[in-house]
Amino acid sequence: MVQGYIKGESAIEDIPILQVTRLTKHFPVHGGIFLRKQGVIHAVDDVSFDVRKGQTLGLVGESGCGKTTLGRCIMGLYPLSGGSVKLHGQNINDVTGKEMKALRLKMQMIFQDPFESLNSRHTVGEILEEKYIIHNRLSNKKIGSVNSTSRRQEIVRLLERVGLSEQAMAKFPHEFSGGQRQRIGIARAISLEPEVLICDEPVSALDVSVQSQILNLMLTLQKDMGLTSVFISHDLAVVRHVSDLIAVMYLGKIVEMAEAEYIYSRPMHPYTKALLSAIPVPDPQAKRERIILKGEIPSPRNPPDGCRFHTRCEYVMDICRQEVPLLNSEESLKYTGTGDSNSPHMVACHLYSI
Amino acid sequence: MANATPLHQLILKRLHSNDNGEECSSGRDMKNDIILNVSNLVVSFNTENGRVRAVDGVGFKLRKATTLGIVGESGCGKSVTALSIMGLLPKPSGQIEYGTIEFKGQDLVSLMGKSTLQGKSDVRIGAALLGKPNIKASQAFGLKSDEIISQGESGKLYDMQKIRGRQISMIFQEPMTALNPVQKIGVQMNEVYQLHFPQMRRRDMDNASISMLAQVGIATPDKVIRQYPHELSGGMRQRVMIAMALSSKPDILIADEPTTALDVTVQAQILDMVNELQTKLAMSVILITHDLGVIAENCDDAVVMYGGRVAERAGVAELFSDPLHPYTQGLLKSIPGLSRAPRSILPTIKGQVPSLEKMPSGCRFSNRCDHVMEICRSVVPFEIEPVKGHFVACHKYSITPRSDIFKSHY
Ligand SMILES: Nc1ncnc2c1ncn2[C@@H]1O[C@H](COP(=O)(O)OP(=O)(O)OP(=O)(O)O)[C@@H](O)[C@H]1O
Ligand SMILES: Nc1ncnc2c1ncn2[C@@H]1O[C@H](COP(=O)(O)OP(=O)(O)OP(=O)(O)O)[C@@H](O)[C@H]1O
Ligand code: SF4
Ligand code: SF4
Ligand SMILES: [Mg+2]
Ligand SMILES: [Mg+2]
């Protein structure tokens, strides 16, 4: 059953392309003279979501809450401590060797500073060409021409697509500005026509006047190529602008997830409310009720028991200190009244489960 | 110094009331008094490609007991302007070529010029301001470590030093550049008192530190004074730095991106606290940021900088409701706001900020401006005041009759 519907401007179909189930990632902490394992960092804990074709899931949360780790786990860059990541129903950690590499090429990642990820000794042309070569070695489905002049043509078209000119081919990454480097990073990520794009803070390092250029480029490409994406950022205005669905993370867990508009118009979780109220709005007339959170984010090495937000929550109850609240769509639907069975408004908070 | 009252009580008194003696008790509206007047400031640096002007004719006024925001993109000269006011430009490469910085009617630039020890005393001020001879902090200002230590050891105060650090304090984006990693917080805070209030007793210093830390929202100040900077979170370190900056009872606090490295919820805490202290202490604040939202929510006046110059300056309400400069207009339109249709294509400013060496002549925004005219490419636009209190440097307004200005953007 393929039921397409139009959301915003992009066509979203009902097939989950990316399925993340109970994903958990712990990093061991070593210390002492023998560097023995002394504990674990709970970077990502029991996270589940589906992203359907053409959809963008926005992932927001404060520094250290596990956004990058989650993105890298989805890309298969870290072994998982638990749970699974499925692309088209296929578990990416089950397949091995060449097959896995080919599968992974269907997912690409864009980083905050593409400079770090672009090989500084190669020209932009070489960097982009390399991708084709690797791909064609791994996959039966050849992309691009074998012939080097027509491949060159393709790279030129790719560069134009991201707003760069042919001259860029002969230059090295360091000769470009931040915005241009991000365009190169995007060109490289889309060169192999991936299905899923994981974007980790793609505009955070850019000048304000350049951010909107890159956001526009990403929105256009996403629509044209039907890309499914996960967009990580701590900038809630940016995330709201590009996402269909938003997941709010706190200390390794998703505390609330819903369609983008509901997160902003009807936030349920006390943390989401505080987070939204803290964004500075560029309008001096806007009078807002600000919720100032007390204290700071606890260490993910010893996350608080029960609800991880209980040390800062103004509504904390006894149960919050003992029982982990679950991201329960059935329960929370009753309260939220927003969302539907297709994309329920889910919240992990005891306020909504009693 | 009044010896009758212990100093920390004086500080506390000042912290707890607006009434702090001669300056504020006059009762009239002091918000129209200009405490700092920067005019025509030109600062240049030696680079491989010769001298470049990082700040080129910047001017603005800071009113007493108000917050002035300086906003602009990376490299537009915000920090260089702030460091010029503090006398902390890296020497010898950075130099004030021209302009005045009047603080309470006294020109700091010529005061700096008078000092034969110019560069070196400034260095010591920098180090002293931030604690003792602080190697890391001073290196941030481009100094060699041996120079700092020898300079930092002599304790004599010069005019400049009295003003900077005591009457004008600065806090930085990354507190670790200003905090000494191997000294406990309490020791570092006491050094500020030792420098500014040498007669203060050790116990009074500790008490003053503790109450100052409590003022900036640290829950366990008596514990924190015995901790090292690395034991604190980013937000706590920023609070400690603010407490240190405030302990000398400055008239002006310059905060250079104090919250950029912090999370939004912590940023909200810190900015709220700064606002609260600003009102309580009747202090003037210069808040440097690249976030227009931070300006809108925390400032009375704002200066928009582009390419080392002031593009536009006005009261905050006026600036956001009726921006005049094409750069400000473009910037305000391009930020994704909560009121914008999701997934819509955002208006953009074309191109990017050129490097200092490649700045176009004439108006520095001319290669990106949609309104560019012939004159813009060759003639530097002067600042004019088309609306009272609202200044803009753009040829559109100098050659257009006033009535047309308003038609053009409605
Ligand atoms: N390779 C690693 N080894 C050990 N700990 C790690 C590793 N990567 C991340 N962590 C820890 O896991 C937690 C989550 O980090 P992560 O980078 O995913 O956060 P984030 O949400 O992306 O933060 P930011 O907004 O600062 O980028 C942090 O406490 C971090 O210190
Ligand atoms: N020590 C120096 N030597 C040479 N050039 C310098 C030096 N310090 C600053 N500059 C140049 O002066 C210009 C203004 O720098 P400044 O640090 O004031 O920018 P800013 O507005 O504070 O930017 P950001 O938002 O990135 O902090 C930049 O182009 C910078 O490269
Ligand atoms: S579960 Fe309890 S502590 Fe956690 S957010 Fe809800 S009310 Fe607050
Ligand atoms: S002076 Fe000319 S180029 Fe500069 S902002 Fe005004 S119209 Fe644009
Ligand atoms: Mg990250
Ligand atoms: Mg700066």
Side-chain angles (χ1 to χ4, degrees):
Chain A
M1 181 196 67
V2 180
Q3 217 180 52
Y5 69 95
I6 302 293
K7 169 83 202 349
E9 288 191 51
S10 52
I12 297 169
E13 290 163 35
D14 258 353
I15 333 156
I17 294 277
L18 181 66
Q19 287 171 289
V20 171
T21 314
R22 309 210 66 170
L23 193 154
T24 299
K25 178 66 192 171
H26 293 171
F27 293 106
V29 181
H30 298 279
I33 16 171
F34 300 111
L35 291 179
R36 267 196 293 256
K37 189 171 154 183
Q38 291 193 325
V40 289
I41 291 174
H42 301 247
V44 177
D45 237 334
D46 200 7
V47 160
S48 305
F49 55 79
D50 289 353
V51 192
R52 283 172 285 154
K53 189 166 176 4
Q55 218 175 18
T56 299
L57 171 79
L59 216 51
V60 296
E62 297 181 277
S63 187
C65 71
K67 305 181 295 295
T68 297
T69 305
L70 178 53
R72 295 181 70 95
C73 286
I74 295 172
M75 289 294 295
L77 296 173
Y78 285 143
L80 304 183
S81 312
S84 68
V85 175
K86 285 182 186 160
L87 185 68
H88 282 304
Q90 192 171 19
N91 192 328
I92 63 157
N93 293 94
D94 278 355
V95 290
T96 45
K98 201 174 156 174
E99 215 185 348
M100 173 184 71
K101 284 185 185 153
L103 190 65
R104 281 191 189 159
L105 284 175
K106 291 185 184 160
M107 293 197 284
Q108 291 293 324
M109 194 154 176
I110 299 174
F111 302 88
Q112 173 164 352
D113 187 358
F115 199 47
E116 282 168 25
S117 57
L118 296 173
N119 189 331
S120 56
R121 280 168 308 176
H122 289 156
T123 64
V124 169
E126 285 163 354
I127 290 169
L128 294 176
E129 185 165 15
E130 195 186 358
K131 276 262 169 173
Y132 290 105
I133 297 171
I134 295 173
H135 178 268
N136 289 350
R137 221 177 21 230
L138 291 169
S139 169
N140 300 327
K141 183 180 155 243
K142 299 276 180 273
I143 292 182
S145 302
V146 200
N147 174 315
S148 76
T149 39
S150 49
R151 185 185 287 147
R152 198 188 143 85
Q153 292 287 308
E154 272 151 30
I155 292 176
V156 171
R157 271 204 296 280
L158 185 64
L159 284 169
E160 279 167 358
R161 203 161 179 185
V162 298
L164 293 170
S165 66
E166 189 176 347
Q167 281 86 36
M169 268 182 94
K171 292 192 189 165
F172 292 90
H174 69 260
E175 297 179 64
F176 294 90
S177 72
Q180 289 171 325
R181 288 205 292 259
Q182 198 53 283
R183 288 178 194 272
I184 297 165
I186 293 172
R188 189 179 59 164
I190 64 164
S191 60
L192 301 176
E193 293 166 23
E195 295 179 36
V196 175
L197 206 55
I198 313 282
C199 316
D200 191 2
E201 308 264 8
V203 297
S204 303
L206 302 178
D207 272 342
V208 190
S209 73
V210 178
Q211 285 190 7
S212 54
Q213 297 170 358
I214 299 296
L215 288 176
N216 285 347
L217 172 65
M218 295 181 68
L219 283 170
T220 312
L221 289 172
Q222 198 202 10
K223 194 175 131 204
D224 294 351
M225 301 176 69
L227 287 170
T228 304
S229 45
V230 175
F231 191 103
I232 297 170
S233 178
H234 63 270
D235 186 329
L236 286 104
V238 167
V239 166
R240 144 80 160 48
H241 191 73
V242 300
S243 309
D244 299 290
L245 208 65
I246 290 178
V248 181
M249 283 184 82
Y250 186 80
L251 268 184
K253 282 186 163 296
I254 293 181
V255 297
E256 183 163 5
M257 183 155 71
E259 283 187 30
E261 56 174 299
Y262 297 135
I263 290 284
Y264 290 86
S265 62
R266 308 209 36 201
M268 306 292 290
H269 197 280
Y271 175 65
T272 313
K273 288 182 182 174
L275 195 62
L276 286 174
S277 84
I279 322 173
V281 178
D283 175 7
Q285 305 322 333
K287 285 279 164 284
R288 297 182 311 147
E289 196 60 36
R290 171 157 292 166
I291 305 163
I292 296 287
L293 286 180
K294 52 181 192 235
E296 295 183 43
I297 306 183
S299 157
R301 217 179 132 175
N302 302 301
D305 286 337
C307 172
R308 290 188 177 182
F309 186 58
H310 85 243
T311 53
R312 303 171 79 196
C313 180
E314 59 176 315
Y315 305 104
V316 58
M317 302 166 286
D318 283 344
I319 184 178
C320 307
R321 298 192 182 89
Q322 286 134 30
E323 271 181 49
V324 179
L326 299 175
L327 196 68
N328 189 337
S329 61
E330 294 283 302
E331 287 288 336
S332 43
L333 260 179
K334 282 196 305 223
Y335 289 89
T336 57
T338 45
D340 52 44
S341 55
N342 237 338
S343 46
H345 188 153
M346 298 190 282
V347 56
C349 168
H350 291 303
L351 285 176
Y352 304 103
S353 58
I354 334 156
Chain B
M1 270 312 126
N3 280 329
T5 335
L7 259 160
H8 83 271
Q9 283 181 18
L10 276 183
I11 296 172
L12 289 185
K13 204 173 144 204
R14 169 143 188 204
L15 282 175
H16 291 301
S17 73
N18 268 348
D19 179 5
N20 62 42
E22 69 283 351
E23 286 145 44
C24 313
S25 56
S26 57
R28 74 197 146 92
D29 184 12
M30 56 191 177
K31 293 199 171 176
N32 290 320
D33 292 354
I34 305 299
I35 188 161
L36 187 79
N37 185 356
V38 176
S39 86
N40 221 343
L41 184 71
V42 177
V43 182
S44 63
F45 286 101
N46 272 331
T47 69
E48 289 159 19
N49 308 318
R51 282 199 89 74
V52 292
R53 283 187 169 183
V55 166
D56 193 14
V58 162
F60 56 83
K61 294 185 172 81
L62 173 64
R63 293 182 292 142
K64 206 163 181 182
T66 64
T67 301
L68 172 85
I70 301 183
V71 66
E73 295 174 275
S74 189
C76 73
K78 304 182 294 295
S79 297
V80 170
T81 302
L83 293 175
S84 306
I85 297 170
M86 294 301 295
L88 292 176
L89 284 175
K91 296 286 165 66
S93 95
Q95 214 136 47
I96 297 184
E97 285 191 5
Y98 198 78
T100 54
I101 301 170
E102 272 179 31
F103 173 66
K104 294 181 172 170
Q106 194 176 20
D107 180 21
L108 300 182
V109 177
S110 53
L111 207 60
M112 252 185 287
K114 262 191 255 156
S115 162
T116 45
L117 270 168
Q118 190 187 2
K120 288 181 177 169
S121 72
D122 285 351
V123 167
R124 222 191 46 234
I125 297 159
L129 165 77
L130 305 161
K132 239 234 171 127
N134 179 335
I135 296 176
K136 224 175 143 195
S138 308
Q139 276 167 346
F141 302 121
L143 297 153
K144 286 192 233 83
S145 53
D146 49 343
E147 197 181 7
I148 299 151
I149 289 170
S150 62
Q151 286 304 317
E153 240 113 59
S154 78
K156 212 171 151 217
L157 296 176
Y158 289 85
D159 286 352
M160 278 295 297
Q161 187 174 2
K162 279 191 203 145
I163 291 173
R164 307 225 162 107
R166 166 125 177 233
Q167 299 180 9
I168 310 179
S169 283
M170 183 161 170
I171 53 176
F172 301 85
Q173 175 171 346
E174 179 36 73
M176 276 318 262
T177 56
L179 294 172
N180 187 335
V182 297
Q183 266 184 349
K184 289 182 180 167
I185 301 296
V187 176
Q188 299 192 48
M189 290 194 70
N190 285 356
E191 277 174 356
V192 181
Y193 293 117
Q194 270 156 23
L195 184 81
H196 296 298
F197 311 108
Q199 339 58 333
M200 206 163 163
R201 280 176 311 173
R202 170 77 205 278
R203 275 225 356 243
D204 293 339
M205 289 182 189
D206 284 348
N207 288 336
S209 299
I210 288 173
S211 65
M212 191 54 89
L213 289 172
Q215 284 278 327
V216 298
I218 286 185
T220 53
D222 40 346
K223 186 173 155 214
V224 166
I225 57 167
R226 271 172 305 213
Q227 284 181 309
Y228 291 96
H230 69 87
E231 296 175 76
L232 307 175
S233 70
M236 298 250 281
R237 286 200 286 255
Q238 197 56 276
R239 286 171 197 273
V240 167
M241 192 159 67
I242 294 172
M244 281 171 69
L246 293 182
S247 57
S248 63
K249 307 191 289 171
D251 294 300
I252 300 177
L253 177 70
I254 303 180
D256 190 355
E257 314 236 15
T259 56
T260 304
L262 304 174
D263 285 320
V264 277
T265 57
V266 183
Q267 163 170 302
Q269 291 171 355
I270 300 269
L271 290 177
D272 267 42
M273 178 200 81
V274 171
N275 286 340
E276 198 179 297
L277 289 171
Q278 191 257 343
T279 320
K280 224 183 212 170
L281 306 180
M283 181 171 67
S284 305
V285 175
I286 296 180
L287 183 60
I288 296 175
T289 174
H290 60 263
D291 187 335
L292 285 157
V294 168
I295 295 280
E297 292 195 351
N298 299 286
C299 300
D300 302 292
D301 301 310
V303 175
V304 181
M305 286 185 67
Y306 186 86
R309 294 187 186 145
V310 173
E312 182 167 10
R313 60 194 174 93
V316 160
E318 163 84 14
L319 184 80
F320 283 80
S321 66
D322 200 9
L324 296 178
H325 198 281
Y327 171 64
T328 321
Q329 291 173 348
L331 215 52
L332 281 171
K333 270 190 236 148
S334 72
I335 39 181
L338 298 184
S339 55
R340 201 181 292 285
R343 310 184 70 83
S344 58
I345 293 296
L346 298 161
T348 56
I349 298 175
K350 64 183 181 224
Q352 71 243 359
V353 184
S355 67
L356 276 182
E357 294 85 3
K358 293 191 180 138
M359 279 292 168
S361 51
C363 171
R364 288 188 164 181
F365 189 57
S366 58
N367 63 331
R368 305 178 71 189
C369 181
D370 287 336
H371 304 268
V372 62
M373 300 167 286
E374 208 45 51
I375 183 177
C376 306
R377 298 190 209 274
S378 51
V379 180
V380 178
F382 277 113
E383 191 175 66
I384 56 163
E385 192 180 3
V387 179
K388 184 145 177 36
H390 193 157
F391 298 83
V392 63
C394 167
H395 288 303
K396 254 177 82 181
Y397 301 94
S398 38
I399 59 175
T400 321
R402 241 189 89 169
S403 58
D404 287 1
I405 297 169
F406 297 99
K407 266 186 231 145
S408 68
H409 54 269
Y410 283 115

